Amino acid sequence: MAQRRQRWGSLQSVSCIGSYLPRRCGIATFTADLAEALGAAAPDVQTQAVAMNDRPEGYRYGPRVWFEINEQRPAEYRLAADFLNTANTDVVLLQHEFGIFGGEAGAHVLDFIDRLRMPVVATLHTVLRDPEPHYRRVAEGLFERCDKLVVMAERARDFLTGLYGVPESKVRLIHHGIPDVPFVDPNFYKDKFGVEGKKVILTFGLLGPSKGLENMIDALPAVVEKHPDVVYMILGATHPGVIAHAGEEYRHGLQRRAKELGVDKHIRWFNRFVELDELVEFLGCADVYVTPYENEAQITSGTLAYALGTGKATVSTPYWYAQEMLADDRGVLVPFKDRDAMSAAINGLFDEEVRRHAIRKNAYQYMRNMRWEQVAGQYLDLCSEVREQQSRAPRPVMSRGPARPLFTEMRELSEIKLDHLRVMTDGTGVLAHAACNVPDRVSGYTTDDNAAALRTVLLSNEHQDAVLGDELQQQASRYLAFLHHAFDPGTGRFRSQMGYDRNWHEGLGSEDTHGRALWALGATVARSLSGGHVTLATHLFHQALPACESFVHTHGIAYALIGIHAYLKRFSGDSHARRVREQLAQRLFDRFHKNGDPSWPWPNDEITYDAARLPHALLLAGRWMFNNAMIQQAITSLDWLHHKQEGEGGRFAPIGSQGWLKRSGEKARFNQLPDEAAATIDAALEAARVTGEERWLERAQRCIDWFLGDNDLGQMLYDPATGGCCDKLLPHGVDSNQSARATCAWLLSLLSMYDHAIATRQDAEGAQPAKQDLAPCITDAGKQPARPPAPAEPTAATDD
């Protein structure tokens, strides 16, 4: 299991699209067999199916089918795409046959693919050499939209590259899967069907005129004449499409023909659709397998693959797939509609037992690498490959409905919604995670999230009316109480994880947790209007500060430095805090200096979470300690980081958590986190204050725009309906869960931008700003917002 997990990396879920059992057609069998094989090969990869229905009532599907599409209703294709996007499916495996999709030439499937955000791999069950124009348009549209195309024959690959101009790199040959069955003597199974001592010919599959069974029946008299003990077994129900138009007339016509030729006693009809176990027994008892199809334009055949996989000596007409599979003495090809050649080939195999068994062995050995277990592994490898490719270069979502307007001017956003933060908060504190926008109690609480929530309401408190101010004070009390409870005086450290039952899950949190808690305490000391809150926060800050002196991890050091800076905004004469700041700043600066070089000016060998916090903390320390070397190092590193996080068109494209960025490595494109945008905004605004350069403000604005849809996928992470923020930007869209951390990241980002604008306006006018056109208002249902005066210390807003 561990090897499988390592082999397929972070692949979590795959959805197979196609017709599905118990619907009776070859694609349905293939889709079901593939889904089951994928599930068996990788039990830890969720494998589900979306079934195409050819009738309104659908079918009684098994548990693996989790969505159904009426093939003639375009709206259901859109719903299915939205369902898969919402379910965060990693890869879609589409089984393509023109006839199972609605619209002209099955064109509805194109709209379906356009709405999908994840990679799409299409298995082509039909590739037409000379298609009619409308079929060519659909085929070319499909080939363009899919990330990879799977074919089951070399000729199909040649058609795609030669006739359709598909790049070779886009086409993958994965053979039709077969069940893993032993190589047995046909006599072992014959008594089950009452044909012991007989020579058995078998054809199986859904019956229809294109199968050419009349040609085999025409050839049978010459076989019976030479081998009177022969029995021809015809296994399979009539194709539902044939029944719908002509009932059982095709089968009845074959039976009349057999009677006229005097061979009806030598034919056994099994008019049913059989399960795999019974099919294997039917195949097992056959001495010769026959596919007498009338049309060469068949690029794959599941029945032929299954027959060869069970080691059958096969006689077939030369349709494309048979030409390839029966080469090198793995079977016998005869011309189309040539009964004499058909009968001669079958008689030859019965007459030459040694040759027949050699052909059987050749076929069986050739097919061993096509067992479903191997085929599933190849599909999973391909799914992992396209998912990794999308993480580096996401597929465009061609149609997602009307685009939401992007936020480009601060004054366009009139409110800051704290609704979701309130929903996530209970009497204990803020819950860590959400299932979509519903609090997830199972996840419990974290000190890190309560620290972020505390900073959020402190900053928000400066943009509220009196009623909302009281509510925010109550929220601040809950978050501060959580930090108070999280602190362990015995260790001098903060604990991190608390269950919903209010029991702590560990005794000692990380340096990161401690640093974030200290940051929130420093912000409380600097900002709170409650004397009690300031007193408690100051007391906790003094208790927690000594532990920071032994910190070695750069992020914990950075968080602590930012917190100390906030604390010193109120108590600038605290000598102990100043000494710790100097000690930690020097330690962080030394890490930048010793580990970095001009091509990698970074304190670690990997850029990970909250990256901009490291130069931000160094910049704050350098600015207030009057250390130009620290300032220069911070600006250089922050500018270098900006270029690493710059996407197409100058948009913000943070380093993704799905691999991060290692020294001399490649940047992970996804999963992009809101924390990265928030950290970059604070760092950029501080750089703007230090340097006076407009470019830093532009960079901060791009981070705000990232939340609002100007990102690699054009997807909004901020949800204006709830006031929450989605957890991350995935390769195929946003993670719809709105956690406390992501929501606080959005709110703090926006508040920092507004506070900077207010401070800038105040500096320009030399007076208190009129906030009607700049400051946001915090709204609550049914309440009219008011706008208070500007904060007394405007520069403190963006320093924490």
Side-chain angles (χ1 to χ4, degrees):
M1 182 69 70
Q3 290 179 342
R4 287 173 173 172
R5 179 74 274 157
Q6 184 178 10
R7 177 177 175 182
W8 294 307
S10 58
L11 187 67
Q12 298 293 327
S13 61
V14 173
S15 286
C16 300
I17 316 294
S19 53
Y20 205 90
L21 296 177
R23 180 175 172 180
R24 294 180 176 181
C25 74
I27 307 297
T29 301
F30 183 93
T31 309
D33 287 347
L34 176 60
E36 293 302 319
L38 293 172
D44 48 352
V45 176
Q46 183 183 24
T47 303
Q48 302 291 357
V50 174
M52 302 302 304
N53 287 332
D54 60 345
R55 61 188 191 187
E57 67 272 24
Y59 298 85
R60 291 182 177 271
Y61 295 113
R64 205 173 285 280
V65 173
W66 66 344
F67 205 89
E68 302 173 40
I69 302 174
N70 183 324
E71 65 182 40
Q72 298 302 329
R73 298 190 63 186
E76 295 197 11
Y77 290 83
R78 295 193 292 272
L79 289 173
D82 293 343
F83 176 81
L84 293 174
N85 291 334
T86 302
N88 291 329
T89 299
D90 287 335
V91 180
V92 160
L93 292 176
L94 178 77
Q95 307 309 310
H96 184 262
E97 166 64 55
F98 293 99
I100 69 171
F101 299 105
E104 185 180 33
H108 289 347
V109 72
L110 302 183
D111 294 333
F112 171 68
I113 298 174
D114 284 346
R115 295 182 69 89
L116 294 174
R117 300 173 186 157
M118 69 290 295
V120 177
V121 175
T123 301
L124 305 181
H125 294 262
T126 296
V127 181
L128 300 175
R129 182 173 59 186
D130 300 304
E132 297 178 10
H134 50 293
Y135 281 95
R136 176 174 283 277
R137 283 194 298 272
V138 172
E140 290 176 343
L142 177 74
F143 302 159
E144 178 185 1
R145 286 165 169 81
C146 291
D147 296 82
K148 293 288 183 181
L149 303 171
V150 174
V151 295
M152 290 176 269
E154 288 287 357
R155 189 184 294 258
R157 174 153 52 187
D158 293 341
F159 283 176
L160 291 179
T161 58
L163 300 179
Y164 292 91
V166 177
E168 291 186 10
S169 60
K170 197 171 188 177
V171 184
R172 189 68 52 87
L173 174 65
I174 301 179
H175 283 288
H176 195 298
I178 61 168
D180 186 6
V181 298
F183 186 73
V184 298
D185 189 313
N187 293 313
F188 182 81
Y189 287 109
K190 287 183 178 180
D191 60 329
K192 293 181 68 70
F193 303 102
V195 291
E196 60 271 23
K198 304 288 187 180
K199 295 182 177 69
V200 177
I201 305 169
L202 174 69
T203 296
F204 85 88
L206 295 172
L207 271 62
S210 65
K211 298 302 176 70
L213 293 182
E214 55 268 44
N215 298 311
M216 177 58 216
I217 291 174
D218 288 346
L220 195 55
V223 179
V224 170
E225 181 180 358
K226 195 168 186 180
H227 299 278
D229 56 348
V230 76
V231 173
Y232 181 31
M233 298 171 64
I234 300 177
L235 170 64
T238 304
H239 196 288
V242 175
I243 290 179
H245 290 91
E248 288 285 7
E249 180 55 34
Y250 179 68
R251 181 185 297 272
H252 294 158
L254 293 175
Q255 292 170 339
R256 289 193 298 269
R257 192 167 191 154
K259 189 170 186 179
E260 292 169 359
L261 294 172
V263 294
D264 54 307
K265 304 297 185 183
H266 292 267
I267 299 178
R268 305 282 178 89
W269 301 87
F270 298 88
N271 184 9
R272 64 181 189 270
F273 192 88
V274 297
E275 299 296 331
L276 178 61
D277 291 343
E278 190 177 7
L279 173 60
V280 169
E281 293 178 347
F282 271 101
L283 284 166
C285 80
D287 296 289
V288 173
Y289 184 77
V290 175
T291 55
Y293 302 161
E294 295 188 342
N295 186 349
E296 70 169 354
Q298 185 158 338
I299 206 65
T300 187
S301 168
T303 60
L304 179 58
Y306 275 42
L308 296 175
T310 54
K312 298 295 103 179
T314 301
V315 176
S316 176
T317 52
Y319 54 92
W320 293 330
Y321 188 66
Q323 292 178 38
E324 193 167 313
M325 300 304 289
L326 300 185
D328 300 325
D329 206 26
R330 292 189 293 269
V332 180
L333 294 174
V334 297
F336 293 106
K337 300 181 180 181
D338 190 333
R339 64 182 182 183
D340 294 336
M342 180 74 72
S343 60
I346 295 171
N347 283 330
L349 291 176
F350 283 142
D351 292 341
E352 303 176 53
E353 186 173 353
V354 173
R355 179 181 172 227
R356 185 173 78 248
H357 287 303
I359 290 175
R360 289 184 58 220
K361 185 176 180 181
N362 291 340
Y364 184 80
Q365 291 179 335
Y366 178 72
M367 300 295 291
R368 296 307 289 162
N369 289 331
M370 303 178 198
R371 291 169 291 169
W372 274 118
E373 180 181 359
Q374 280 75 24
V375 167
Q378 293 176 59
Y379 272 99
L380 289 166
D381 288 341
L382 185 55
C383 288
S384 296
E385 178 184 327
V386 296
R387 189 174 190 274
E388 176 63 24
Q389 288 174 347
Q390 190 189 54
S391 70
R392 296 192 298 267
R395 71 190 305 267
V397 182
M398 298 185 183
S399 176
R400 291 190 304 272
R404 297 181 182 180
L406 299 180
F407 173 71
T408 57
E409 297 291 339
M410 284 184 290
R411 66 187 66 221
E412 292 179 13
L413 195 61
S414 61
E415 65 177 9
I416 292 173
K417 294 187 68 170
L418 298 176
D419 302 36
H420 187 60
L421 186 60
R422 292 191 186 98
V423 168
M424 293 289 289
T425 301
D426 61 16
T428 301
V430 65
L431 287 155
H433 295 291
C436 295
N437 61 342
V438 178
D440 179 9
R441 293 176 175 175
V442 175
S443 65
Y445 315 84
T446 72
T447 300
D448 301 66
D449 291 335
N450 278 273
L454 179 55
R455 292 192 295 112
T456 301
V457 296
L458 287 168
L459 187 53
S460 300
N461 200 40
E462 298 171 3
H463 306 281
Q464 43 73 40
D465 63 18
V467 175
L468 287 175
D470 291 341
E471 293 183 9
L472 293 175
Q473 287 280 63
Q474 293 173 13
Q475 282 184 263
S477 292
R478 292 190 184 96
Y479 306 141
L480 184 57
F482 189 96
L483 297 185
H484 186 203
H485 186 48
F487 185 73
D488 181 357
T491 63
R493 294 283 294 273
F494 288 91
R495 291 166 288 200
S496 178
Q497 302 280 338
M498 177 189 279
Y500 189 68
D501 58 2
R502 297 192 179 186
N503 289 319
W504 291 103
H505 290 174
E506 84 289 289
L508 190 69
S510 66
E511 292 182 8
D512 285 9
T513 293
H514 194 92
R516 288 183 176 122
L518 193 79
W519 181 1
L521 294 174
T524 303
V525 172
R527 292 183 172 280
S528 180
L529 302 178
S530 166
H533 288 183
V534 173
T535 298
L536 177 58
T538 301
H539 176 67
L540 281 174
F541 186 90
H542 289 157
Q543 286 185 296
L545 187 60
C548 300
E549 298 182 62
S550 61
F551 279 8
V552 295
H553 296 293
T554 52
H555 283 80
I557 293 172
Y559 300 139
L561 278 171
I562 299 172
I564 293 170
H565 173 75
Y567 170 84
L568 289 174
K569 295 294 291 184
R570 173 164 286 194
F571 298 122
S572 60
D574 189 321
S575 298
H576 184 211
R578 291 164 69 96
R579 283 194 298 269
V580 175
R581 177 176 67 178
E582 183 175 356
Q583 178 185 351
L584 294 180
Q586 189 61 49
R587 191 175 301 163
L588 183 59
F589 178 67
D590 289 344
R591 288 288 294 272
F592 270 98
H593 182 69
K594 293 176 181 178
N595 191 75
D597 60 42
S599 65
W600 185 267
W602 205 249
N604 304 311
D605 288 334
E606 184 178 16
I607 300 178
T608 58
Y609 57 94
D610 256 1
R613 296 293 178 200
L614 306 185
H616 177 208
L618 190 63
L619 187 58
L620 281 173
R623 177 187 178 193
W624 292 100
M625 291 167 55
F626 304 100
N627 188 318
N628 288 330
M630 289 184 181
I631 293 174
Q632 185 60 48
Q633 178 66 64
I635 293 295
T636 298
S637 297
L638 192 59
D639 195 49
W640 175 81
L641 179 63
H642 161 74
H643 293 293
K644 294 294 183 183
Q645 296 187 131
E646 190 173 33
E648 184 179 351
R651 69 168 59 96
F652 181 65
I655 296 164
S657 64
Q658 193 178 15
W660 300 114
L661 174 59
K662 295 180 174 60
R663 197 168 194 156
S664 302
E666 185 177 352
K667 167 185 172 180
R669 189 73 176 271
F670 296 97
N671 302 334
Q672 298 178 16
L673 303 177
D675 276 346
E676 305 312 307
T680 303
I681 286 172
D682 286 345
L685 293 178
E686 182 62 23
R689 280 188 288 271
V690 171
T691 66
E693 295 175 352
E694 188 73 18
R695 62 188 176 117
W696 294 107
L697 299 180
E698 294 173 357
R699 292 171 181 180
Q701 182 65 54
R702 287 172 187 158
C703 295
I704 287 291
D705 293 342
W706 177 87
F707 284 104
L708 297 164
D710 191 11
N711 51 50
D712 284 339
L713 296 184
Q715 301 271 322
M716 287 184 70
L717 283 89
Y718 169 58
D719 182 353
T722 66
C725 180
C726 296
D727 273 354
K728 60 181 77 77
L729 191 68
L730 302 166
H732 50 70
V734 298
D735 181 335
S736 59
N737 298 322
Q738 298 177 8
S739 67
R741 174 170 292 186
T743 297
C744 288
W746 156 251
L747 291 170
L748 287 166
S749 296
L750 195 58
L751 285 163
S752 292
M753 291 293 287
Y754 273 108
D755 271 27
H756 186 273
I758 292 170
T760 301
R761 175 67 63 85
Q762 183 175 349
D763 291 343
E765 296 181 353
Q768 297 295 329
K771 300 174 71 174
Q772 282 79 356
D773 62 343
L774 282 174
C777 57
I778 297 177
T779 61
D780 198 8
K783 297 189 176 93
Q784 185 68 28
R787 306 186 191 277
E793 296 180 356
T795 57
T798 51
D799 287 348
D800 60 44

